[in-house]
Amino acid sequence: MRIGRRRFVQAMAVAPLFAGRAGRAAAATARDLRFAAAFDEIDSWVGKAFPGAVVAIGMHGRRVALRSFGKLSSAPDAPPMPRDAIFDLASLTKVVGTTTAAELLYNRGLLDLDRPVIAYLPAFAGTPGHARITVRHLLSHSSGLFTTDLLWQHSRNRQELLALIDHMPVAWKPGSRYQYRDENMILMGEIVERLSGQPLDRFLHDNAFAPLNMKDTGFNPPASQFARIPPTEQDDMFRHRLVRGVVHDENAYVLGGVAGHAGLFSTARDLAKLAELYLHHGRGLLKPASIAAFTTRQSEPPGTSRALGWDMTEASGSFAGPRASPDALIHTGFTGTSLYIDRRRHAFIVLLTNRVNPTRDNKRIAEARIGIHSAILSAIDTPVG
């Protein structure tokens, strides 16, 4: 039977489409096979270290995986975890939000890393030792600020909590010792607001998240997003309810949900875009020199693993396991989140979980992170074909 000319032309026109789809399907299958063991590793921690998780993996400028695992919560009738789940990032706020804001201001010549904090925040002056603390000390967690008090237990609102930080004692000489403190990044968020003339959440939306098309990233998510937000902890001490859709961190909650140390919500897809910003040297949003200023390991305090805002891997190990690159940019969040950016491999791993659901007493996320990152990095290092 002879085929008509018109039908023949139509067939030739759509043939490349089918070929393209077939090629993409084959590539997707190859990627799935490559990461099969790593996906099995993540699955093995469901119900042990966390109810559910979403992972995003990127290599050489391409996102090669976006997968969800487990359930939205630990409830028996919880639905499957969606790939577009919006997680409480906890301390990933420090790097995704506040460090990005600081880089933008530094990039514009508005932020001096070695200027005293009191030059930007006059209310911080007056307490012994505060005049010697610089912006760099805040970003490298070497300010010397220290207290055993839980600030949220001694303050009823934003103004009272910030006043406590303004009068917080200095336990050692600034720059002489590393001590990870939320207060450092709370102050950094206040500096961003002072220099930009905008609230931290508005500045980040307009100058970082919107330009990067991070549509699901922000503070105090609207009720319309709650269905996609995994619950965190059953809080029987402070709020006396299951925490969902509002920030888990108590200090950030007292601060109104917008703070330099915690409060951001985001998806794995959005965080992949931020990771690419670092792998592509600023992508026009930031100058390469500005990126370098914040992603270079600091020389003080002696032996520190910190860059500015970011942490880096140590010889003794990190949550990314023994295969991690020594200059990788890393950070975690208390709720079970983490971000790993590997500039040597030109790769990234976003791992988002709600490991504190239903309780923070489950601490198996520490070993889960090592196993998961080791498996993913092993897959990345395995040649295909």
Side-chain angles (χ1 to χ4, degrees), residues 151-172:
L151 300 186
W152 59 272
Q153 292 184 341
H154 302 279
S155 51
R156 294 167 296 178
N157 54 48
R158 182 180 185 87
Q159 291 71 30
E160 290 183 3
L161 195 147
L162 291 175
L164 290 175
I165 299 176
D166 285 339
H167 297 93
M168 186 174 292
V170 176
W172 51 85

Side-chain angles (χ1 to χ4, degrees), residues 73-145:
S73 77
S74 58
D77 59 346
M81 180 69 76
R83 289 195 306 171
D84 61 351
I86 300 172
F87 287 81
D88 180 339
L89 297 185
S91 282
L92 283 192
T93 301
K94 293 179 173 73
V95 288
V96 175
T98 310
T99 299
T100 302
E103 287 171 315
L104 286 163
L105 293 171
Y106 177 85
N107 194 70
R108 299 171 187 178
L110 299 175
L111 179 67
D112 184 340
L113 296 174
D114 296 304
R115 196 174 187 192
V117 172
I118 62 172
Y120 298 114
L121 303 176
F124 190 63
T127 300
H130 280 201
R132 302 180 67 177
I133 299 173
T134 67
V135 172
R136 189 181 299 275
H137 292 144
L138 297 182
L139 289 165
S140 61
H141 291 283
S142 61
S143 66
L145 293 172

